[in-house]
Amino acid sequence: MERRPRSFYILAAFFALFVLFLYGPILTIGILSFQGPQGGLTFPMNGVSLHWFRDLFQEQAVGDIWGAFRRSFALGLMVMVTTVVVSVMAGLAFRKRFAGSALLFYAAITSLVIPSILISLGVGLIFNQLGLKIHWATSGFGSQLTWTLPFGLLIMFAVFNRFDKSYEEAARDQGATSWQTIRFVVLPIIAPSLIGVALFGFTLSYDEFARTLLTAGSYNTLPLEIFGMTTNVTTPVIYALGTLTTLFSFAIIAACLLGVWILGKRRARLGSDAGKGV
Amino acid sequence: MRLKNRHVLGWLEASPLALVLLLFLVAPIVMIVIVSFWGATEFSIYPAFQFDNYEFLFGSPVTYRVFLATLKYAFITWALTLAIGFTVAYFLAFHVRSLTMQIALFLVCTIPFWTSNIIRMISWIPFLGRNGIANQTLISWGLIDEPLEWLLYSDFAVILAFVHLYTLFMVVPIFNTMMRIDKSLLEAARDNGASGLQTLVHVILPLTKPGIMIGTIFVVTLVMGDFITVRFMSGSQRANVGRLISNDIGLLQYPSAAATAVVLLCTVLIVIAILLRFVNIRKEL
């Protein structure tokens, strides 16, 4: 192998600094959440304890953290399932040009780049004028979809751009109906990418703030609850909460990556021997 | 008949997406445009067709200052995220040799994207605060005698947070385009005697432009539409357009908020229209 040039080491150091920059702060609050009962928001550590984590599980003076967590979790699942189904359908549709497809595509891009506060404000105003009550599961749900669906759609574009159409043609040649082709050929092939779409759907919803702000109604989602806490909680309990919810996000990401990896393994094991001269 | 079928089938498959976008994107925008012409009292809003909101908006020097501040945030963040993002992507794409390692390091860069922005902002407090790590370190090194006050709750903190939150929106598309550059082009450049730097500037950079454009669109629109990072990291001491809107909302001045929102949306769309002239997004995925 070729010797590495000097620029490699400089760039590697830069990359390491970048990773430190990305993860350093979150590690810091991870450490600080183990502050002793007398400890403050910054170093030095005043002893080491689980005090602030215990505090989280006790009755809170302000807010309803666990209720907010349950709502965010439920909403995340709703958004995840909807995002996967709607993105796959739209992805299939966009494989062929249809009247108005360009318009719909630009609408999806607009949905991605529009300042979030416009969605929040607009949806809030509509519900208000129609006399409907805003609620996280209705107005909040719809607003979050405007953020997750474009991501899902873009992933589906990337997937179908690389999709080998000859599999479908083979299925059709052997007499599969178009539904059978999708169900037994297309969906299994794109399955790992669907886990990716699901990951985007869930985590983007679970952490969504700006589009949910004016559309969640009287029951807060977790990010709204945490933001509320920043103004009136001055103890490391907020770090403890931050650490827990970040660990939860990491667990979800790890589960998804594991899922993709297992699918890949299974596929390699059960793969076809076509063309291998067996 | 077949031709017609194709359009009908396309719309059937795309109808859920179209429905969501119609109800929660198009309708809200239309509503905001309508309400921007309405009037407001202290407690309520009433339908009208008047230009008062826009007249007030364009007549106030605050508006221009705040729009300028917003563009300034967008520009500085763009320059920094581009420089950092390009370097990181370049390292990953051309200096890391095994594909497994590339994927692993790429994931390391993207994982924070799937965690909470609010938490990631909060996590700067122990770093930048008056008694934070940065100040304590600088004092112990003898570089400063008194804690620096401008670390937290300042423009510095706002831009630091933007760069922290949004650099990966640059890394991902740039890395994606770089990975598709044919390696034989680089060999050809070297065979013809180009130095590493010349290859970078004359071969890699032009071929990476689409990725840079997509990253730019993400970063610029996210920063221009932001209201929470500026509020949180500046301790409510700085303003951008998003905060102007959210303050009006807080005061129940919806028509005025709507008018500002319309102007913000137009600004963002103009910026994107300009950027889109340089790239075809659908081809680049």
Side-chain angles (χ1 to χ4, degrees):
Chain A
M1 204 180 218
E2 218 179 323
R3 241 188 82 236
R4 293 189 183 281
R6 182 143 38 101
S7 58
F8 170 82
Y9 297 98
I10 299 170
L11 286 169
F14 184 88
F15 183 80
L17 279 178
F18 176 68
V19 172
L20 186 68
F21 171 66
L22 274 186
Y23 290 91
I26 196 78
L27 281 178
T28 319
I29 70 162
I31 296 167
L32 282 171
S33 55
F34 290 98
Q35 275 277 23
Q38 309 300 324
L41 284 174
T42 51
F43 285 106
M45 293 288 282
N46 210 326
V48 176
S49 74
L50 289 174
H51 178 84
W52 303 107
F53 289 99
R54 256 198 309 273
D55 208 51
L56 268 184
F57 288 88
Q58 276 153 14
E59 194 64 36
Q60 289 294 308
V62 280
D64 169 23
I65 294 168
W66 293 100
F69 172 73
R70 276 194 302 274
R71 283 187 287 275
S72 273
F73 190 72
L75 183 57
L77 290 179
M78 285 163 62
V79 171
M80 177 182 90
V81 172
T82 316
T83 305
V84 171
V85 174
V86 175
S87 308
V88 170
M89 289 181 69
L92 288 169
F94 273 107
R95 293 199 298 170
K96 298 196 187 75
R97 204 176 290 267
F98 54 93
S101 60
L103 188 72
L104 189 60
F105 175 72
Y106 280 110
I109 296 297
T110 309
S111 185
L112 190 62
V113 299
I114 190 172
S116 301
I117 196 161
L118 265 87
I119 301 284
S120 233
L121 173 63
V123 172
L125 280 171
I126 289 180
F127 271 67
N128 202 325
Q129 290 301 314
L130 291 178
L132 299 170
K133 228 172 133 69
I134 50 169
H135 189 273
W136 57 269
T138 56
S139 49
F141 173 65
S143 306
Q144 292 196 342
L145 284 178
T146 63
W147 178 232
T148 60
L149 284 181
F151 279 105
L153 187 64
L154 290 182
I155 296 174
M156 292 321 296
F157 276 138
V159 169
F160 282 128
N161 277 353
R162 291 165 177 74
F163 190 85
D164 186 349
K165 285 220 168 73
S166 50
Y167 290 116
E168 266 175 292
E169 280 156 22
R172 251 198 312 271
D173 287 350
Q174 306 208 29
T177 63
S178 46
W179 166 246
Q180 282 174 325
T181 311
I182 290 175
R183 167 70 186 79
F184 295 108
V185 178
V186 178
L187 285 184
I189 292 178
I190 63 173
S193 327
L194 297 190
I195 296 182
V197 177
L199 174 65
F200 272 80
F202 183 83
T203 56
L204 292 187
S205 156
Y206 180 74
D207 298 320
E208 178 14 322
F209 179 84
R211 297 189 191 213
T212 329
L213 182 62
L214 298 175
T215 55
S218 27
Y219 298 104
N220 275 345
T221 60
L222 193 60
L224 298 177
E225 194 74 26
I226 293 173
F227 187 72
M229 284 175 73
T230 59
T231 49
N232 50 30
V233 174
T234 50
T235 59
V237 72
I238 194 165
Y239 293 159
L241 180 56
T243 307
L244 275 191
T245 175
T246 305
L247 284 178
F248 178 74
S249 292
F250 283 167
I252 297 275
I253 298 166
C256 287
L257 294 179
L258 196 69
V260 172
W261 187 71
I262 288 174
L263 271 185
K265 280 269 159 192
R266 223 180 81 125
R267 190 165 289 183
R269 189 157 41 83
L270 303 176
S272 155
D273 55 10
K276 285 181 188 150
V278 180
Chain B
M1 188 59 204
R2 264 192 76 84
L3 197 81
K4 207 175 150 196
N5 259 341
R6 196 185 73 189
H7 296 297
V8 173
L9 184 67
W11 273 107
L12 272 181
E13 286 173 329
S15 59
L17 175 71
L19 189 71
V20 171
L21 292 181
L22 194 69
L23 287 180
F24 291 96
L25 177 77
V26 179
I29 295 175
V30 172
M31 188 69 187
I32 288 175
V33 173
I34 295 173
V35 171
S36 71
F37 295 104
W38 286 14
T41 66
E42 261 179 65
F43 318 102
S44 66
I45 58 177
Y46 57 88
F49 186 74
Q50 53 189 26
F51 288 86
D52 295 23
N53 303 309
Y54 289 102
E55 265 168 39
F56 180 78
L57 191 65
F58 287 111
S60 155
V62 175
T63 310
Y64 299 98
R65 238 191 359 254
V66 170
F67 265 89
L68 209 65
T70 307
L71 289 172
K72 184 191 76 183
Y73 283 135
F75 180 77
I76 299 177
T77 309
W78 170 77
L80 290 172
T81 52
L82 176 59
I84 299 172
F86 186 89
T87 314
V88 167
Y90 176 73
F91 172 73
L92 286 180
F94 296 114
H95 282 272
V96 178
R97 283 172 182 165
S98 89
L99 184 67
T100 319
M101 199 63 187
Q102 275 177 328
I103 294 174
L105 292 179
F106 179 72
L107 276 175
V108 167
C109 293
T110 44
I111 281 172
F113 172 67
W114 293 307
T115 64
S116 164
N117 278 3
I118 301 280
I119 305 278
R120 292 173 71 200
M121 281 186 243
I122 291 173
S123 65
W124 279 108
I125 293 176
F127 254 97
L128 302 177
R130 205 166 184 286
N131 300 312
I133 297 172
N135 271 325
Q136 282 176 4
T137 312
L138 290 175
I139 289 176
S140 72
W141 285 353
L143 289 174
I144 51 172
D145 301 322
E146 304 229 313
L148 300 171
E149 299 285 351
W150 50 264
L151 287 179
L152 192 57
Y153 304 138
S154 61
D155 276 345
F156 171 79
V158 172
I159 287 171
L160 184 75
F162 276 142
V163 172
H164 186 229
L165 293 177
Y166 299 143
T167 299
L168 48 104
F169 283 93
M170 278 288 189
V171 174
V172 173
I174 295 179
F175 176 71
N176 182 38
T177 21
M178 279 180 174
M179 288 298 278
R180 297 209 270 151
I181 293 178
D182 190 345
K183 292 280 189 295
S184 56
L185 290 175
L186 306 184
E187 277 166 33
R190 204 167 43 184
D191 289 348
N192 282 297
S195 69
L197 190 67
Q198 280 173 323
T199 313
L200 177 64
V201 174
H202 297 291
V203 181
I204 296 174
L205 196 59
L207 290 173
T208 315
K209 221 179 244 166
I212 294 176
M213 280 304 152
I214 294 176
T216 302
I217 291 174
F218 267 117
V219 170
V220 168
T221 54
L222 282 167
V223 173
M224 288 189 68
D226 171 86
F227 63 103
I228 212 65
T229 312
V230 173
R231 175 169 153 197
F232 188 81
M233 297 306 287
S234 78
S236 296
Q237 293 175 44
R238 295 287 188 279
N240 69 345
V241 183
R243 284 206 63 208
L244 216 56
I245 300 172
S246 77
N247 283 350
D248 274 341
I249 293 172
L251 298 169
L252 303 181
Q253 298 299 308
Y254 294 112
S256 149
T260 316
V262 169
V263 177
L264 174 64
L265 182 63
C266 293
T267 318
V268 170
L269 289 182
I270 290 169
V271 171
I272 293 173
I274 295 170
L275 293 173
L276 276 181
R277 298 194 73 92
F278 298 101
V279 60
N280 179 347
I281 291 189
R282 273 181 73 176
K283 270 210 199 117
E284 297 306 328
L285 292 166

